[in-house]
Structure formats: C-alpha cells, structure tokens
Amino acid sequence: MLKTKITDLFGLKYPIFQGGMAWVATAELAAAVSNAGGLGIIGAGNAPASFVKEQIQKARKLTDKPFGVNVMLMSPFVDEVMETVLEERVSMITTGAGNPGKYISRLKERDIKVVPVVPSVALAKRMESIGADAIIAEGTESGGHIGELTTMALVPQVVDAVNIPVIAAGGIGDGRGVAAAFCLGASGVQLGTRFVCSTECTANEKYKQYIVNAKDRDAVVTGRTTGHPVRSLKNHLTREFEKAEQNGASKEELEKLGAGKLRDAVVYGDVLNGSVMAGQISGLINDIKPAKEIIEELFDDAQKIIKNLYGGLE
C-alpha cells in the first residue's frame, strides 16, 4: 500500500481519485471506487441540483466510504448544485471550468474539502491562495475539456509551485503511469478513461467498447477555435467538427453542433455521431473489469516498479 498525503487527507486506502465525468460518473461508479479504497466522484456536469442530490443519496446507500462531487463551475445550475453539496455535507468536491473562490468559506464551514482541477502553474497557485486543500494537475492527454501542457511537464512544475498536495491526471492508465506520477512528485493520481471501462460504470456498453477498440492516435482534439478544446475518440462527429472549423464556423455554430452529443454517446450508445470523450490512454485499455480489480492491479504494479527502481539504484 502506498501511503501519501492524499491517503491521510481523505481517509483512503489508495491515493487515487476517479474523474468526475459528466453522464459517466454516477453514484454506481463513485461508490464502487470508494468501496475499493479510492475516492469515487459523482460528476455533476450541467445537471440540475435535483439530479445531484439524487446521486449523492444513492451513493450513500451503496457505500459508507468517503466520496465527492465534481462541480462544473460554468454550469447554469452551479449555485443550486453548491447548495446541495453543502446541505448533503459530502466529503469533498473537485471543481473545473472556473474559480470556486466565492464558495470556499461556506464549504470550509461544513468541513468539505475543495480540490480544483488546473491546467497551469498560475491557476494552481491562485487556487492554493484562496484555500484549496489539494490540486489536480491535469495534462492535455486527458479526455474531455483539456489544457495545453502535458502531464509530464505540468505535474512537477505544479508540485514545485505549491505547498499543498498535488494529484496527477491525464494519460494515466496502468501501474507504469501511477509510478511515473509519484516520480514526478505527485501525492496521488486521478483516472477517468480507465474507470469508464469498469463493470460498475453505467455508460452504454458501446461507449466502453469503443474505448477498448481504440488505437494510440484515435483520441483527437476539436473545438480549439472556440477556446474550449475537447478530446474525444475520432468518429463522424469529430470529422464534422474538423470540417466546420476549417470552414470558419462561428463559436455558436460549433456549440450547437456539439450540444447533447456526450449524452448521445454515453447514455444511448451512439458512438458514431455522439461525443466519445476519452483520453489518449484509450489505446492502452483493452478490457472491462470491476473497479476493485483495476485499482488493485494499478497499485500492485506501481509498487513493484517503484521497488525495482529504487532497488536498482541502491
């Protein structure tokens, strides 16, 4: 077992978070990851507060372990979702797409830890200054909305820049990636795409299988012209996006093209016309199995690698 600042801070067996992916990270997946010794996270996405409350209460029936909620700060329901998080007194939240500063004091009053996802050193330092408990440094290899810096470059720079624990995310899918994250100075890891391909994940089986079948160069980026690039697996939709961007489509036209497409893929299994958000690690994933097996395999392999590495250096 790898004990780190993250295991101590959140009361975990393993220093691993499950990414709070919209439509994917439901109560079932979050509870499975928490029961396995990691930190499961419910993805609020753009969902209304009533849905988030329902998911929190469902997760509590499935696990007595800590779990969190990912709050997307650009959501039209963000204020109501934050109120729900406060009322339900979840263990922690992760945040993305904005600044959680105006909510921090109330969250701290309820002893709810705040862990922002950041793509840069500057934002990491800003989040530390407003009271974040830890930072998730997410590299561009990840699925969904992305930044520009790679995990290899970003994580050590964030580690050097802040005094709070850093969790590495983006491009981590096996024990080698976990070991590498610790070598970069991280105190934990966050995985998203790998947990999509878990038996407890409620995503459509076609979505999972599309990831399993993916090759190394199948995760592509669209939407750079909007200022909000997204990584997903190439299909008819990504080709439509590329063509529209090349033809000078407006931000509004591109947003309309992508509206509802993630749900189409995750819920309904339309992997050709929907948005199959997934990271570059997709090419390394070749099976679907329980979250417990995924986590145990990750850390068994990581420990062996670290032991061999330091054993070899002695």
Side-chain angles (χ1 to χ4, degrees):
M1 190 186 306
L2 290 167
K3 283 186 66 65
T4 74
K5 294 176 183 177
I6 293 300
T7 56
D8 293 341
L9 185 61
F10 295 97
L12 308 176
K13 182 178 180 181
Y14 299 102
I16 183 170
F17 286 14
Q18 160 248 311
M21 303 159 284
W23 294 110
V24 174
T26 63
E28 292 85 351
L29 177 57
V33 171
S34 290
N35 284 332
L39 189 75
I41 297 175
I42 293 165
N46 282 318
S50 57
F51 172 82
V52 177
K53 184 172 184 175
E54 173 190 303
Q55 291 296 307
I56 292 170
Q57 293 179 348
K58 183 186 290 186
R60 287 209 169 107
K61 293 177 181 177
L62 297 172
T63 185
D64 59 358
K65 302 292 194 300
F67 65 87
V69 174
N70 174 260
V71 180
M72 209 272 283
L73 296 166
M74 287 178 64
S75 165
F77 305 108
V78 62
D79 288 334
E80 296 94 326
V81 168
M82 281 295 190
E83 288 300 325
T84 297
V85 164
L86 289 161
E87 289 169 11
E88 294 292 329
R89 291 179 179 266
V90 297
S91 298
M92 59 82 71
I93 65 167
T94 58
T95 65
N99 187 334
K102 73 175 186 175
Y103 306 104
I104 291 254
S105 61
R106 294 185 64 203
L107 291 163
K108 296 285 188 180
E109 287 171 5
R110 299 291 177 95
D111 197 29
I112 298 171
K113 295 180 176 63
V114 181
V115 186
V117 179
V118 303
S120 69
V121 169
L123 193 54
K125 292 169 73 173
R126 192 183 315 158
M127 293 301 101
E128 180 181 36
S129 72
I130 64 173
D133 294 282
I135 292 290
I136 298 170
E138 184 176 75
T140 192
E141 298 94 325
S142 62
H145 294 277
I146 58 168
E148 290 297 326
L149 291 172
T150 65
T151 302
M152 180 71 78
L154 177 64
V155 171
Q157 293 185 70
V158 172
V159 168
D160 288 350
V162 301
N163 296 308
I164 53 178
V166 175
I167 297 142
I172 302 170
D174 63 8
R176 292 170 294 184
V178 173
F182 289 119
C183 290
L184 294 174
S187 297
V189 295
Q190 176 173 282
L191 278 67
T193 307
R194 173 67 271 205
F195 283 123
V196 175
C197 293
S198 63
T199 53
E200 297 90 350
C201 177
T202 60
N204 192 287
E205 290 301 313
K206 290 181 180 178
Y207 189 102
K208 298 181 186 182
Q209 202 59 48
Y210 207 70
I211 294 173
V212 169
N213 293 338
K215 306 303 180 187
D216 57 341
R217 298 185 64 184
D218 283 347
V220 298
V221 179
T222 58
R224 289 195 188 278
T225 58
T226 69
H228 301 289
V230 171
R231 188 179 301 283
S232 56
L233 298 184
K234 61 184 178 183
N235 60 5
H236 179 67
L237 177 65
T238 63
R239 288 189 287 273
E240 274 194 280
F241 254 99
E242 289 169 2
K243 187 182 297 183
E245 288 189 273
Q246 288 169 3
N247 291 333
S250 68
K251 181 178 179 180
E252 291 72 23
E253 289 172 324
L254 292 170
E255 288 176 349
K256 184 178 179 180
L257 181 60
K261 297 299 186 180
L262 177 60
R263 185 180 186 184
D264 287 347
V266 175
V267 178
Y268 303 116
D270 187 352
V271 294
L272 298 181
N273 302 294
S275 180
V276 186
M277 291 188 186
Q280 288 184 320
I281 207 67
S282 297
L284 195 65
I285 297 170
N286 53 30
D287 58 13
I288 299 167
K289 54 190 174 187
K292 187 173 188 292
E293 288 185 26
I294 291 172
I295 292 174
E296 289 176 349
E297 183 178 289
L298 284 168
F299 284 95
D300 284 348
D301 289 349
Q303 285 179 300
K304 289 174 186 175
I305 291 166
I306 291 170
K307 183 178 179 181
N308 289 340
L309 172 64
Y310 287 103
L313 292 174
E314 290 176 353

